[in-house]
Amino acid sequence: MVRFSDAGLRYPDPSGGEGDETLKHLSFTLPRGSFTWLTGASGAGKTTLLRLMQCALRPTSGEVEILGVRLSQAKREALPPLRRRIGAVFQDYRLLPYLSAFDNVALPLRLAGRSEASLRPDVAELLRWVGLENRADSLPPQLSGGEQQRVAIARAVVARPELLVADEPTGNLDPRQARRLLALLTEMNRLGTTVVVATHSEELVAAFPAPVMTLERGRLVAFGHPDEAPDADPAASAWNNAPEQGPTGTWDDGPEPTGTAWDNRPSPATTTWDDAPDPAAVAWDDAPGTSPGPASRGGAAASPHGTPDRRPPGAPPDTPPYGMRGRRDG
């Protein structure tokens, strides 16, 4: 669950004093397993709101509760385990430039203790799904902006987080790739992940109807389903009692995701969420100076190229990759 209670945030001004309020008196609840669009003009506060949900910031007023943890009261050492339960897609990608596409996607699983043998198929399948199976060994500087964005998306979802926040994840994608991404996010939502997606795309919101939060100058001005009349008081609206379900609708050129083996595959005993390093900290500040590279994956057998298709038997070509493991249920 994500709960904001009269939450606000001020960034400090250059002189060290208090700056203007970036977010003001936000009160809302996102039920567990919900899917929510976040909209608003540039500068409305969408990225700052997502940073609070990622536990990258603490509110300067009010309270923010993320997955049962109150940020204003949480000790510093409690935040890394919480962040490991959250996946994030950033506007600026934040890929490690000295790691290949494969190794960037594999990083959260390696930090969580997954063995190379168990993580390789999951990473390869996600790279196939985002159309980068032939760029697995490329470094980020060798990839286009859209390709880097797809790597960032794959990295965010590979560990099947409990909460996924995405800041303009389709901004550099063509329409077909955008539709494939949304099919993947909605399937994750169907399996229980709470998803929040910031977007300027009215087409995506219309194609995948789901509750919409609208920010304006740091305030929540609307919170409801697109086909409902706006509520005068978002904090007291029916959103707080919204059913725990994701968006509806299908795309013209892709099948609607169906249940698969992703639901039933056991989580490996080697995955230890509470004791693993913090990906949010390690990935940017403390990551190893060299990439493990294809050779460290065990030669030809470890290469992501030629990995058997891990979709269910008879699944159509656009079926999302449901074989990923490692998420803690409950």
PDB file of all heavy atoms in Angstrom, residues 129 170 173-187 203-204 207-208 250-255 257 318 320:
ATOM      1  N   TRP A 129      12.147  -9.825 -24.825  1.00  0.00           N
ATOM      2  CA  TRP A 129      10.845  -9.186 -24.821  1.00  0.00           C
ATOM      3  C   TRP A 129      10.939  -7.715 -25.222  1.00  0.00           C
ATOM      4  O   TRP A 129      10.072  -7.202 -25.928  1.00  0.00           O
ATOM      5  CB  TRP A 129      10.224  -9.316 -23.434  1.00  0.00           C
ATOM      6  CG  TRP A 129       8.956  -8.542 -23.301  1.00  0.00           C
ATOM      7  CD1 TRP A 129       8.761  -7.389 -22.593  1.00  0.00           C
ATOM      8  CD2 TRP A 129       7.703  -8.837 -23.907  1.00  0.00           C
ATOM      9  NE1 TRP A 129       7.475  -6.966 -22.716  1.00  0.00           N
ATOM     10  CE2 TRP A 129       6.801  -7.836 -23.538  1.00  0.00           C
ATOM     11  CE3 TRP A 129       7.259  -9.872 -24.739  1.00  0.00           C
ATOM     12  CZ2 TRP A 129       5.480  -7.823 -23.954  1.00  0.00           C
ATOM     13  CZ3 TRP A 129       5.942  -9.854 -25.162  1.00  0.00           C
ATOM     14  CH2 TRP A 129       5.068  -8.844 -24.772  1.00  0.00           C
ATOM     15  N   THR A 170       7.730   5.462 -21.576  1.00  0.00           N
ATOM     16  CA  THR A 170       7.564   5.282 -23.027  1.00  0.00           C
ATOM     17  C   THR A 170       8.005   6.512 -23.810  1.00  0.00           C
ATOM     18  O   THR A 170       7.763   6.605 -25.009  1.00  0.00           O
ATOM     19  CB  THR A 170       6.092   4.987 -23.363  1.00  0.00           C
ATOM     20  OG1 THR A 170       5.281   6.117 -22.989  1.00  0.00           O
ATOM     21  CG2 THR A 170       5.601   3.753 -22.620  1.00  0.00           C
ATOM     22  N   LEU A 173      10.151   5.616 -26.827  1.00  0.00           N
ATOM     23  CA  LEU A 173       9.807   4.365 -27.496  1.00  0.00           C
ATOM     24  C   LEU A 173       8.828   4.616 -28.639  1.00  0.00           C
ATOM     25  O   LEU A 173       7.987   5.517 -28.567  1.00  0.00           O
ATOM     26  CB  LEU A 173       9.176   3.383 -26.500  1.00  0.00           C
ATOM     27  CG  LEU A 173      10.013   3.010 -25.276  1.00  0.00           C
ATOM     28  CD1 LEU A 173       9.269   1.984 -24.435  1.00  0.00           C
ATOM     29  CD2 LEU A 173      11.383   2.485 -25.675  1.00  0.00           C
ATOM     30  N   ASP A 174       8.945   3.786 -29.681  1.00  0.00           N
ATOM     31  CA  ASP A 174       7.968   3.867 -30.758  1.00  0.00           C
ATOM     32  C   ASP A 174       6.657   3.248 -30.277  1.00  0.00           C
ATOM     33  O   ASP A 174       6.612   2.571 -29.244  1.00  0.00           O
ATOM     34  CB  ASP A 174       8.494   3.165 -32.017  1.00  0.00           C
ATOM     35  CG  ASP A 174       8.789   1.688 -31.798  1.00  0.00           C
ATOM     36  OD1 ASP A 174       7.856   0.944 -31.431  1.00  0.00           O
ATOM     37  OD2 ASP A 174       9.950   1.268 -32.007  1.00  0.00           O
ATOM     38  N   PRO A 175       5.550   3.494 -31.001  1.00  0.00           N
ATOM     39  CA  PRO A 175       4.243   3.024 -30.519  1.00  0.00           C
ATOM     40  C   PRO A 175       4.187   1.523 -30.246  1.00  0.00           C
ATOM     41  O   PRO A 175       3.572   1.090 -29.263  1.00  0.00           O
ATOM     42  CB  PRO A 175       3.285   3.422 -31.646  1.00  0.00           C
ATOM     43  CG  PRO A 175       3.929   4.627 -32.260  1.00  0.00           C
ATOM     44  CD  PRO A 175       5.410   4.356 -32.199  1.00  0.00           C
ATOM     45  N   ARG A 176       4.833   0.711 -31.097  1.00  0.00           N
ATOM     46  CA  ARG A 176       4.765  -0.742 -30.880  1.00  0.00           C
ATOM     47  C   ARG A 176       5.496  -1.126 -29.603  1.00  0.00           C
ATOM     48  O   ARG A 176       4.989  -1.920 -28.792  1.00  0.00           O
ATOM     49  CB  ARG A 176       5.370  -1.479 -32.072  1.00  0.00           C
ATOM     50  CG  ARG A 176       5.323  -2.999 -31.923  1.00  0.00           C
ATOM     51  CD  ARG A 176       5.802  -3.710 -33.188  1.00  0.00           C
ATOM     52  NE  ARG A 176       5.726  -5.155 -33.029  1.00  0.00           N
ATOM     53  CZ  ARG A 176       6.697  -5.894 -32.502  1.00  0.00           C
ATOM     54  NH1 ARG A 176       7.801  -5.318 -32.069  1.00  0.00           N
ATOM     55  NH2 ARG A 176       6.557  -7.199 -32.388  1.00  0.00           N
ATOM     56  N   GLN A 177       6.693  -0.557 -29.377  1.00  0.00           N
ATOM     57  CA  GLN A 177       7.427  -0.872 -28.155  1.00  0.00           C
ATOM     58  C   GLN A 177       6.683  -0.355 -26.932  1.00  0.00           C
ATOM     59  O   GLN A 177       6.692  -0.978 -25.867  1.00  0.00           O
ATOM     60  CB  GLN A 177       8.838  -0.284 -28.215  1.00  0.00           C
ATOM     61  CG  GLN A 177       9.777  -1.007 -29.157  1.00  0.00           C
ATOM     62  CD  GLN A 177      10.108  -2.412 -28.671  1.00  0.00           C
ATOM     63  OE1 GLN A 177       9.890  -2.749 -27.503  1.00  0.00           O
ATOM     64  NE2 GLN A 177      10.629  -3.235 -29.563  1.00  0.00           N
ATOM     65  N   ALA A 178       6.017   0.799 -27.062  1.00  0.00           N
ATOM     66  CA  ALA A 178       5.240   1.321 -25.942  1.00  0.00           C
ATOM     67  C   ALA A 178       4.112   0.360 -25.575  1.00  0.00           C
ATOM     68  O   ALA A 178       3.838   0.116 -24.396  1.00  0.00           O
ATOM     69  CB  ALA A 178       4.683   2.699 -26.287  1.00  0.00           C
ATOM     70  N   ARG A 179       3.464  -0.207 -26.578  1.00  0.00           N
ATOM     71  CA  ARG A 179       2.380  -1.159 -26.308  1.00  0.00           C
ATOM     72  C   ARG A 179       2.914  -2.427 -25.649  1.00  0.00           C
ATOM     73  O   ARG A 179       2.297  -2.957 -24.721  1.00  0.00           O
ATOM     74  CB  ARG A 179       1.656  -1.505 -27.619  1.00  0.00           C
ATOM     75  CG  ARG A 179       0.851  -0.351 -28.178  1.00  0.00           C
ATOM     76  CD  ARG A 179      -0.084  -0.806 -29.276  1.00  0.00           C
ATOM     77  NE  ARG A 179       0.622  -1.221 -30.483  1.00  0.00           N
ATOM     78  CZ  ARG A 179       0.912  -0.417 -31.495  1.00  0.00           C
ATOM     79  NH1 ARG A 179       0.579   0.858 -31.434  1.00  0.00           N
ATOM     80  NH2 ARG A 179       1.525  -0.868 -32.576  1.00  0.00           N
ATOM     81  N   ARG A 180       4.065  -2.899 -26.103  1.00  0.00           N
ATOM     82  CA  ARG A 180       4.656  -4.100 -25.490  1.00  0.00           C
ATOM     83  C   ARG A 180       5.022  -3.822 -24.030  1.00  0.00           C
ATOM     84  O   ARG A 180       4.833  -4.671 -23.155  1.00  0.00           O
ATOM     85  CB  ARG A 180       5.883  -4.553 -26.283  1.00  0.00           C
ATOM     86  CG  ARG A 180       5.543  -5.158 -27.631  1.00  0.00           C
ATOM     87  CD  ARG A 180       6.800  -5.451 -28.439  1.00  0.00           C
ATOM     88  NE  ARG A 180       7.637  -6.458 -27.810  1.00  0.00           N
ATOM     89  CZ  ARG A 180       7.485  -7.778 -27.961  1.00  0.00           C
ATOM     90  NH1 ARG A 180       6.487  -8.236 -28.700  1.00  0.00           N
ATOM     91  NH2 ARG A 180       8.303  -8.625 -27.378  1.00  0.00           N
ATOM     92  N   LEU A 181       5.565  -2.629 -23.773  1.00  0.00           N
ATOM     93  CA  LEU A 181       5.907  -2.278 -22.396  1.00  0.00           C
ATOM     94  C   LEU A 181       4.669  -2.288 -21.519  1.00  0.00           C
ATOM     95  O   LEU A 181       4.669  -2.857 -20.422  1.00  0.00           O
ATOM     96  CB  LEU A 181       6.566  -0.898 -22.354  1.00  0.00           C
ATOM     97  CG  LEU A 181       6.612  -0.244 -20.963  1.00  0.00           C
ATOM     98  CD1 LEU A 181       7.483  -1.055 -20.026  1.00  0.00           C
ATOM     99  CD2 LEU A 181       7.074   1.189 -21.060  1.00  0.00           C
ATOM    100  N   LEU A 182       3.589  -1.663 -21.990  1.00  0.00           N
ATOM    101  CA  LEU A 182       2.378  -1.611 -21.174  1.00  0.00           C
ATOM    102  C   LEU A 182       1.797  -2.996 -20.955  1.00  0.00           C
ATOM    103  O   LEU A 182       1.236  -3.295 -19.898  1.00  0.00           O
ATOM    104  CB  LEU A 182       1.360  -0.688 -21.822  1.00  0.00           C
ATOM    105  CG  LEU A 182       1.338   0.750 -21.262  1.00  0.00           C
ATOM    106  CD1 LEU A 182       0.936   0.737 -19.790  1.00  0.00           C
ATOM    107  CD2 LEU A 182       2.703   1.427 -21.416  1.00  0.00           C
ATOM    108  N   ALA A 183       1.937  -3.889 -21.955  1.00  0.00           N
ATOM    109  CA  ALA A 183       1.475  -5.264 -21.758  1.00  0.00           C
ATOM    110  C   ALA A 183       2.262  -5.935 -20.640  1.00  0.00           C
ATOM    111  O   ALA A 183       1.705  -6.684 -19.821  1.00  0.00           O
ATOM    112  CB  ALA A 183       1.621  -6.056 -23.052  1.00  0.00           C
ATOM    113  N   LEU A 184       3.563  -5.660 -20.569  1.00  0.00           N
ATOM    114  CA  LEU A 184       4.391  -6.234 -19.515  1.00  0.00           C
ATOM    115  C   LEU A 184       4.006  -5.663 -18.154  1.00  0.00           C
ATOM    116  O   LEU A 184       3.852  -6.401 -17.168  1.00  0.00           O
ATOM    117  CB  LEU A 184       5.865  -5.956 -19.811  1.00  0.00           C
ATOM    118  CG  LEU A 184       6.882  -6.453 -18.787  1.00  0.00           C
ATOM    119  CD1 LEU A 184       6.806  -7.964 -18.630  1.00  0.00           C
ATOM    120  CD2 LEU A 184       8.298  -6.030 -19.200  1.00  0.00           C
ATOM    121  N   LEU A 185       3.828  -4.336 -18.068  1.00  0.00           N
ATOM    122  CA  LEU A 185       3.480  -3.720 -16.791  1.00  0.00           C
ATOM    123  C   LEU A 185       2.106  -4.167 -16.302  1.00  0.00           C
ATOM    124  O   LEU A 185       1.915  -4.399 -15.098  1.00  0.00           O
ATOM    125  CB  LEU A 185       3.519  -2.195 -16.920  1.00  0.00           C
ATOM    126  CG  LEU A 185       4.867  -1.557 -17.248  1.00  0.00           C
ATOM    127  CD1 LEU A 185       4.764  -0.042 -17.168  1.00  0.00           C
ATOM    128  CD2 LEU A 185       5.972  -2.072 -16.343  1.00  0.00           C
ATOM    129  N   THR A 186       1.156  -4.305 -17.212  1.00  0.00           N
ATOM    130  CA  THR A 186      -0.173  -4.740 -16.782  1.00  0.00           C
ATOM    131  C   THR A 186      -0.178  -6.197 -16.349  1.00  0.00           C
ATOM    132  O   THR A 186      -0.940  -6.579 -15.458  1.00  0.00           O
ATOM    133  CB  THR A 186      -1.208  -4.526 -17.897  1.00  0.00           C
ATOM    134  OG1 THR A 186      -0.762  -5.169 -19.093  1.00  0.00           O
ATOM    135  CG2 THR A 186      -1.415  -3.049 -18.172  1.00  0.00           C
ATOM    136  N   GLU A 187       0.675  -7.019 -16.958  1.00  0.00           N
ATOM    137  CA  GLU A 187       0.770  -8.406 -16.502  1.00  0.00           C
ATOM    138  C   GLU A 187       1.394  -8.473 -15.112  1.00  0.00           C
ATOM    139  O   GLU A 187       0.948  -9.232 -14.249  1.00  0.00           O
ATOM    140  CB  GLU A 187       1.588  -9.235 -17.487  1.00  0.00           C
ATOM    141  CG  GLU A 187       1.854 -10.674 -17.033  1.00  0.00           C
ATOM    142  CD  GLU A 187       0.582 -11.473 -16.822  1.00  0.00           C
ATOM    143  OE1 GLU A 187      -0.485 -11.058 -17.300  1.00  0.00           O
ATOM    144  OE2 GLU A 187       0.650 -12.527 -16.160  1.00  0.00           O
ATOM    145  N   GLU A 203      -2.865   9.138 -25.210  1.00  0.00           N
ATOM    146  CA  GLU A 203      -3.211   7.926 -25.952  1.00  0.00           C
ATOM    147  C   GLU A 203      -3.054   6.689 -25.082  1.00  0.00           C
ATOM    148  O   GLU A 203      -3.897   5.783 -25.094  1.00  0.00           O
ATOM    149  CB  GLU A 203      -2.352   7.806 -27.210  1.00  0.00           C
ATOM    150  CG  GLU A 203      -2.639   8.853 -28.284  1.00  0.00           C
ATOM    151  CD  GLU A 203      -1.997  10.194 -27.970  1.00  0.00           C
ATOM    152  OE1 GLU A 203      -1.211  10.270 -26.988  1.00  0.00           O
ATOM    153  OE2 GLU A 203      -2.272  11.165 -28.691  1.00  0.00           O
ATOM    154  N   LEU A 204      -1.952   6.618 -24.311  1.00  0.00           N
ATOM    155  CA  LEU A 204      -1.756   5.460 -23.436  1.00  0.00           C
ATOM    156  C   LEU A 204      -2.839   5.393 -22.360  1.00  0.00           C
ATOM    157  O   LEU A 204      -3.368   4.323 -22.066  1.00  0.00           O
ATOM    158  CB  LEU A 204      -0.374   5.522 -22.787  1.00  0.00           C
ATOM    159  CG  LEU A 204       0.830   5.185 -23.658  1.00  0.00           C
ATOM    160  CD1 LEU A 204       2.109   5.281 -22.840  1.00  0.00           C
ATOM    161  CD2 LEU A 204       0.695   3.810 -24.278  1.00  0.00           C
ATOM    162  N   ALA A 207      -5.960   4.161 -23.944  1.00  0.00           N
ATOM    163  CA  ALA A 207      -5.908   2.769 -24.382  1.00  0.00           C
ATOM    164  C   ALA A 207      -5.910   1.799 -23.214  1.00  0.00           C
ATOM    165  O   ALA A 207      -6.393   0.668 -23.342  1.00  0.00           O
ATOM    166  CB  ALA A 207      -4.669   2.546 -25.256  1.00  0.00           C
ATOM    167  N   PHE A 208      -5.369   2.207 -22.076  1.00  0.00           N
ATOM    168  CA  PHE A 208      -5.336   1.361 -20.879  1.00  0.00           C
ATOM    169  C   PHE A 208      -6.051   2.100 -19.749  1.00  0.00           C
ATOM    170  O   PHE A 208      -5.412   2.661 -18.862  1.00  0.00           O
ATOM    171  CB  PHE A 208      -3.889   1.044 -20.474  1.00  0.00           C
ATOM    172  CG  PHE A 208      -3.249  -0.039 -21.270  1.00  0.00           C
ATOM    173  CD1 PHE A 208      -2.692   0.234 -22.503  1.00  0.00           C
ATOM    174  CD2 PHE A 208      -3.184  -1.347 -20.805  1.00  0.00           C
ATOM    175  CE1 PHE A 208      -2.096  -0.758 -23.251  1.00  0.00           C
ATOM    176  CE2 PHE A 208      -2.593  -2.347 -21.541  1.00  0.00           C
ATOM    177  CZ  PHE A 208      -2.055  -2.053 -22.775  1.00  0.00           C
ATOM    178  N   THR A 250      -7.358  -3.602 -24.508  1.00  0.00           N
ATOM    179  CA  THR A 250      -6.386  -4.360 -25.274  1.00  0.00           C
ATOM    180  C   THR A 250      -5.883  -3.509 -26.417  1.00  0.00           C
ATOM    181  O   THR A 250      -6.479  -2.503 -26.793  1.00  0.00           O
ATOM    182  CB  THR A 250      -7.010  -5.642 -25.846  1.00  0.00           C
ATOM    183  OG1 THR A 250      -8.141  -5.281 -26.644  1.00  0.00           O
ATOM    184  CG2 THR A 250      -7.471  -6.568 -24.732  1.00  0.00           C
ATOM    185  N   TRP A 251      -4.746  -3.916 -26.969  1.00  0.00           N
ATOM    186  CA  TRP A 251      -4.161  -3.214 -28.096  1.00  0.00           C
ATOM    187  C   TRP A 251      -4.605  -3.901 -29.387  1.00  0.00           C
ATOM    188  O   TRP A 251      -4.904  -5.080 -29.416  1.00  0.00           O
ATOM    189  CB  TRP A 251      -2.641  -3.235 -28.011  1.00  0.00           C
ATOM    190  CG  TRP A 251      -2.134  -2.456 -26.863  1.00  0.00           C
ATOM    191  CD1 TRP A 251      -1.759  -2.919 -25.641  1.00  0.00           C
ATOM    192  CD2 TRP A 251      -1.951  -1.043 -26.803  1.00  0.00           C
ATOM    193  NE1 TRP A 251      -1.353  -1.903 -24.829  1.00  0.00           N
ATOM    194  CE2 TRP A 251      -1.458  -0.747 -25.517  1.00  0.00           C
ATOM    195  CE3 TRP A 251      -2.167   0.003 -27.711  1.00  0.00           C
ATOM    196  CZ2 TRP A 251      -1.159   0.553 -25.117  1.00  0.00           C
ATOM    197  CZ3 TRP A 251      -1.858   1.288 -27.310  1.00  0.00           C
ATOM    198  CH2 TRP A 251      -1.366   1.552 -26.035  1.00  0.00           C
ATOM    199  N   ASP A 252      -4.599  -3.117 -30.466  1.00  0.00           N
ATOM    200  CA  ASP A 252      -5.073  -3.641 -31.741  1.00  0.00           C
ATOM    201  C   ASP A 252      -4.203  -4.749 -32.283  1.00  0.00           C
ATOM    202  O   ASP A 252      -4.678  -5.674 -32.930  1.00  0.00           O
ATOM    203  CB  ASP A 252      -5.150  -2.504 -32.787  1.00  0.00           C
ATOM    204  CG  ASP A 252      -6.219  -1.476 -32.410  1.00  0.00           C
ATOM    205  OD1 ASP A 252      -7.139  -1.854 -31.665  1.00  0.00           O
ATOM    206  OD2 ASP A 252      -6.107  -0.330 -32.857  1.00  0.00           O
ATOM    207  N   ASP A 253      -2.883  -4.639 -32.051  1.00  0.00           N
ATOM    208  CA  ASP A 253      -1.976  -5.587 -32.706  1.00  0.00           C
ATOM    209  C   ASP A 253      -1.275  -6.519 -31.732  1.00  0.00           C
ATOM    210  O   ASP A 253      -0.225  -7.050 -32.009  1.00  0.00           O
ATOM    211  CB  ASP A 253      -0.927  -4.838 -33.525  1.00  0.00           C
ATOM    212  CG  ASP A 253      -0.103  -3.873 -32.687  1.00  0.00           C
ATOM    213  OD1 ASP A 253      -0.436  -3.709 -31.506  1.00  0.00           O
ATOM    214  OD2 ASP A 253       0.859  -3.302 -33.219  1.00  0.00           O
ATOM    215  N   GLY A 254      -1.834  -6.709 -30.567  1.00  0.00           N
ATOM    216  CA  GLY A 254      -1.202  -7.607 -29.616  1.00  0.00           C
ATOM    217  C   GLY A 254      -2.235  -8.352 -28.797  1.00  0.00           C
ATOM    218  O   GLY A 254      -3.268  -7.791 -28.433  1.00  0.00           O
ATOM    219  N   PRO A 255      -1.995  -9.618 -28.481  1.00  0.00           N
ATOM    220  CA  PRO A 255      -2.962 -10.377 -27.684  1.00  0.00           C
ATOM    221  C   PRO A 255      -2.953  -9.918 -26.242  1.00  0.00           C
ATOM    222  O   PRO A 255      -1.958  -9.430 -25.740  1.00  0.00           O
ATOM    223  CB  PRO A 255      -2.437 -11.815 -27.801  1.00  0.00           C
ATOM    224  CG  PRO A 255      -0.968 -11.659 -28.040  1.00  0.00           C
ATOM    225  CD  PRO A 255      -0.815 -10.400 -28.854  1.00  0.00           C
ATOM    226  N   PRO A 257      -2.542 -10.410 -22.419  1.00  0.00           N
ATOM    227  CA  PRO A 257      -1.769 -11.399 -21.660  1.00  0.00           C
ATOM    228  C   PRO A 257      -2.685 -12.410 -20.975  1.00  0.00           C
ATOM    229  O   PRO A 257      -3.782 -12.082 -20.529  1.00  0.00           O
ATOM    230  CB  PRO A 257      -1.023 -10.542 -20.637  1.00  0.00           C
ATOM    231  CG  PRO A 257      -0.995  -9.175 -21.235  1.00  0.00           C
ATOM    232  CD  PRO A 257      -2.265  -9.052 -22.022  1.00  0.00           C
ATOM    233  N   ASP A 318       3.710 -12.386 -28.932  1.00  0.00           N
ATOM    234  CA  ASP A 318       3.748 -11.195 -28.097  1.00  0.00           C
ATOM    235  C   ASP A 318       3.431 -11.468 -26.634  1.00  0.00           C
ATOM    236  O   ASP A 318       3.223 -10.541 -25.865  1.00  0.00           O
ATOM    237  CB  ASP A 318       2.771 -10.145 -28.628  1.00  0.00           C
ATOM    238  CG  ASP A 318       3.404  -9.301 -29.731  1.00  0.00           C
ATOM    239  OD1 ASP A 318       4.625  -9.415 -29.898  1.00  0.00           O
ATOM    240  OD2 ASP A 318       2.675  -8.562 -30.406  1.00  0.00           O
ATOM    241  N   PRO A 320       3.936 -11.760 -22.894  1.00  0.00           N
ATOM    242  CA  PRO A 320       5.001 -11.246 -22.029  1.00  0.00           C
ATOM    243  C   PRO A 320       5.760 -12.374 -21.350  1.00  0.00           C
ATOM    244  O   PRO A 320       5.240 -13.488 -21.191  1.00  0.00           O
ATOM    245  CB  PRO A 320       4.227 -10.402 -21.000  1.00  0.00           C
ATOM    246  CG  PRO A 320       2.960 -10.037 -21.688  1.00  0.00           C
ATOM    247  CD  PRO A 320       2.624 -11.236 -22.535  1.00  0.00           C
TER     248      PRO A 320
END
